[in-house]
Amino acid sequence: MQELKQKDREERSKLVIWKHPITTLQYFLLECISKLLKASIRLREKKLTVAFFIILSIFAYQLCVTDGPHSESFRSWGKLLSWCGYWVGLGILSSVGLGTGLHTFLLYLGPHIAAVTLAAFECMSVDFPEPPYPDQIVCPDQMEDNMSIWTIIGKVRLEAFMWGAGTAIGELPPYFMARAATLSGIDPDDEDYEEAAEMFEDHPDGGNSITSRAKLAMKKLVQQVGFFGILLAASIPNPLFDLAGITCGHFLVPFWTFFGATLIGKAVIKMHIQKIFVVMTFSKHHVEMLVDWMGYLPLVGMPMQIPFKDFLQKQKENLHHKPGTHIATSESWLQWVFEKLIIAMVLYFVISIVNSMAQSYMAKKQKEARDQKTQK
């Protein structure tokens, strides 16, 4: 059976859109339909909850469209909740992975913090007019005497915390999967879980590879230290944290112990480390120093330095324009490259989702085939 599972995994890994486009898209659509059907069944089972949220949504919509003393505060709260939900959703996508290691921090939160940092040092203030902030950053009329990194960190604290909270929520599926497997006694057909299950047995050497030893160390840290072990594992950049969730679920660690430590580690400690790094990297003197050093590169230094200087100068000019006024735009090749790079990363992210869901549907078919063989 183990050999058959391994063979199925190898066959499943080959199902990608650039090798089998028609089959991949077909399985992706079937998996989407399957998940929608499951979601509809669950919603029908919780009719009272669904009815409550429908009534609440209708009531909220009526409050939103009806003018009155409440309108301004209601719209501001709605905007705040939408902003928080946006970053929580990106955090969940980043943590769940969906078949890729691409971080939404690199695509969204990191550039947002970098833009706020550059604008704060140029404007000498973080009191950007709202609107157009956060869609567009414009310098306020009043400036401060100095600008500290802690002021900038405070400006982006909400979105960073929400993104970190989303990554903590995204770590729950491995925990619940392992917990359900332990309580039911049925091991799920999941490669990460089976690799972790092997380490739940006594292997003092932890294997020969560095990865095996790192996984064993992670398992021991979480199992022996408990809350503070989970907190430490969640507070640092850790690609093996899924193993922490599986370990906690397998040994039936209480939910709030696991999620509380994960939330504090990822949304508070780790996010402050990442914010400080981005803010310090994109502070005014560091950016100017980097651009100056770029000119010393042989052959390509000057051709690269000029467009970078032009790009930064245009960004500074855009920060000082008044809202509603027209800005003459001229796209540089550097901006064009950045935009195409972001588009390519987003496309890769979408393709990885398609591949992952198609492989998930194929895994179900393979499991059905194995069950039929077992019955025979």
Side-chain angles (χ1 to χ4, degrees):
M1 181 60 70
Q2 293 298 327
E3 292 179 359
L4 187 58
K5 284 185 177 181
Q6 183 61 32
K7 183 179 178 181
D8 286 344
R9 286 196 198 99
E10 292 175 358
E11 183 182 354
R12 202 159 60 231
S13 64
K14 298 176 183 177
L15 183 65
V16 289
I17 198 167
W18 52 85
K19 290 184 179 179
H20 307 283
I22 296 176
T23 306
T24 303
L25 289 174
Q26 179 187 0
Y27 283 7
F28 167 72
L29 292 174
L30 290 172
E31 179 68 6
C32 288
I33 294 171
S34 173
K35 289 187 179 296
L36 288 173
L37 289 175
K38 285 182 179 180
S40 64
I41 292 171
R42 290 178 181 176
L43 289 175
R44 284 201 298 270
E45 292 174 352
K46 300 179 180 179
K47 294 179 181 178
L48 290 177
T49 305
V50 173
F52 172 77
F53 278 104
I54 290 175
I55 294 172
L56 186 64
S57 300
I58 293 173
F59 179 71
Y61 175 76
Q62 290 297 327
L63 285 176
C64 186
V65 298
T66 305
D67 293 331
H70 65 282
S71 299
E72 188 63 31
S73 59
F74 192 83
R75 290 192 185 96
S76 63
W77 274 103
K79 184 179 179 181
L80 179 64
L81 290 175
S82 299
W83 183 243
C84 293
Y86 172 76
W87 290 110
V88 170
L90 288 176
I92 292 173
L93 287 176
S94 181
S95 187
V96 170
L98 297 172
T100 176
L102 186 63
H103 244 259
T104 53
F105 183 89
L106 299 176
L107 285 175
Y108 299 98
L109 184 58
H112 172 71
I113 297 174
V116 171
T117 303
L118 292 171
F121 280 104
E122 175 63 22
C123 304
M124 292 303 292
S125 175
V126 293
D127 297 326
F128 309 124
E130 300 182 29
Y133 182 83
D135 298 325
Q136 182 183 0
I137 302 178
V138 178
C139 288
D141 295 330
Q142 295 182 349
M143 301 173 64
E144 299 177 7
D145 296 332
N146 53 48
M147 179 57 56
S148 68
I149 63 171
W150 304 112
T151 303
I152 302 171
I153 288 173
K155 182 66 176 179
V156 296
R157 181 176 290 119
L158 176 63
E159 44 266 52
F161 177 83
M162 289 301 165
W163 185 87
T167 62
I169 294 171
E171 298 293 352
L172 293 179
Y175 170 82
F176 285 124
M177 176 191 67
R179 185 180 179 87
T182 301
L183 294 174
S184 65
I186 301 174
D187 290 345
D189 183 20
D190 185 85
E191 188 174 357
D192 292 335
Y193 179 81
E194 291 187 358
E195 288 181 4
E198 293 177 1
M199 288 184 293
F200 296 150
E201 304 172 3
D202 290 329
H203 296 295
D205 59 345
N208 296 324
S209 67
I210 297 176
T211 305
S212 298
R213 293 181 181 274
K215 288 181 177 180
L216 184 62
M218 176 66 62
K219 177 247 182 183
K220 289 182 177 179
L221 176 68
V222 171
Q223 187 180 0
Q224 296 177 5
V225 183
F227 178 89
F228 292 102
I230 302 168
L231 181 65
L232 177 62
S235 300
I236 58 175
N238 185 1
L240 301 177
F241 190 78
D242 279 353
L243 181 61
I246 294 174
T247 303
C248 291
H250 181 81
F251 291 103
L252 302 180
V253 172
F255 170 78
W256 286 111
T257 300
F258 170 71
F259 184 66
T262 304
L263 181 65
I264 296 171
K266 286 184 172 290
V268 180
I269 301 175
K270 182 181 175 182
M271 275 315 307
H272 273 83
I273 295 172
Q274 291 177 303
K275 281 189 294 183
I276 291 172
F277 174 78
V278 175
V279 171
M280 291 186 67
T281 302
F282 286 90
S283 60
K284 185 176 181 181
H285 58 284
H286 284 157
V287 172
E288 292 176 350
M289 183 174 62
L290 180 63
V291 174
D292 289 339
W293 284 358
M294 197 178 294
Y296 293 105
L297 293 174
L299 300 178
V300 297
M302 292 303 296
M304 289 181 61
Q305 186 187 51
I306 294 173
F308 265 97
K309 284 186 174 181
D310 292 342
F311 175 76
L312 292 173
Q313 183 60 35
K314 288 177 182 177
Q315 295 303 310
K316 291 178 181 180
E317 293 174 357
N318 292 341
L319 291 171
H320 292 285
H321 89 282
K322 298 296 181 183
T325 59
H326 175 72
I327 307 175
T329 57
S330 58
E331 187 179 57
S332 65
W333 70 267
L334 181 63
Q335 187 175 359
W336 184 88
V337 169
F338 281 163
E339 289 178 355
K340 299 304 179 284
L341 179 62
I342 294 297
I343 292 172
M345 294 173 72
V346 172
L347 285 176
Y348 172 73
F349 189 69
V350 172
I351 290 172
S352 68
I353 293 174
V354 174
N355 290 338
S356 178
M357 294 186 69
Q359 291 170 6
S360 177
Y361 183 82
M362 187 177 182
K364 295 176 184 177
K365 293 187 64 176
Q366 291 173 337
K367 188 175 185 303
E368 291 175 359
R370 288 198 305 270
D371 292 342
Q372 291 177 356
K373 289 182 180 179
T374 305
Q375 292 174 359
K376 292 179 180 179

